[in-house]
Amino acid sequence: MRLGLLLLTGLLSACTLVVEPAGLSLTYRLDFGRAILRFEPDRGPGGVYYLGEEVRFLLTLAEPGWVALFVEDPDGRTYGLDRFYLARGTHVLPPGAYRYTLVPPRGLHRVWAVYTDQAPTTLRLEGIYRDFEGVLRLYLEASQARRHDRAETFFYLR
């Protein structure tokens, strides 16, 4: 009996009740762990790069899905760098012959990998945001993903 009650409580805690003008909707999400297991530049978190050099990222996924990369440069400008559908496992981004060649501004560059189990939304994130976390929540809601994860890393451009 206690085990059944415990299981029911766990299942209900993963539910979201949403009231919309069109009616009532109930969504359910079950999360067993991180989808992004590793995300870092090829020189490690906080690695130093110079103008004109290329940066690559190492990404390990626990399951297949869509990954979008977002960058915030030292001037505070945030933009989408790329997005891919990737299999489970470790990947070097960008894949193949593509390269991310570094251009100004110099300084700290923050990079986010955002995983979703659905194809990403067409919503473009580009601009200067005070609350990038809030903007990211809008991006995730627009994607209607049942499962999502994100990881952050950084590097310096000298």
Side-chain angles (χ1 to χ4, degrees), residues 40-57 100 102 106-107 154-158:
E40 62 186 52
D42 55 355
R43 294 185 185 168
V48 175
Y49 297 83
Y50 294 91
L51 286 177
E53 288 187 328
E54 297 172 352
V55 62
R56 298 184 77 123
F57 296 95
Y100 300 138
L102 298 170
R106 296 173 193 244
F154 65 101
F155 65 88
Y156 293 96
L157 177 57
R158 308 248 176 188

Side-chain angles (χ1 to χ4, degrees), residues 43-98:
R43 294 185 185 168
V48 175
Y49 297 83
Y50 294 91
L51 286 177
E53 288 187 328
E54 297 172 352
V55 62
R56 298 184 77 123
F57 296 95
L58 304 173
L59 175 76
T60 302
L61 295 178
E63 57 190 81
W66 289 90
V67 175
L69 299 180
F70 298 99
V71 178
E72 180 184 66
D73 68 25
D75 292 339
R77 187 171 149 260
T78 303
Y79 55 92
L81 184 62
D82 234 331
R83 54 186 178 181
F84 312 92
Y85 183 83
L86 298 170
R88 177 182 181 208
T90 300
H91 304 273
V92 177
L93 302 177
Y98 298 103

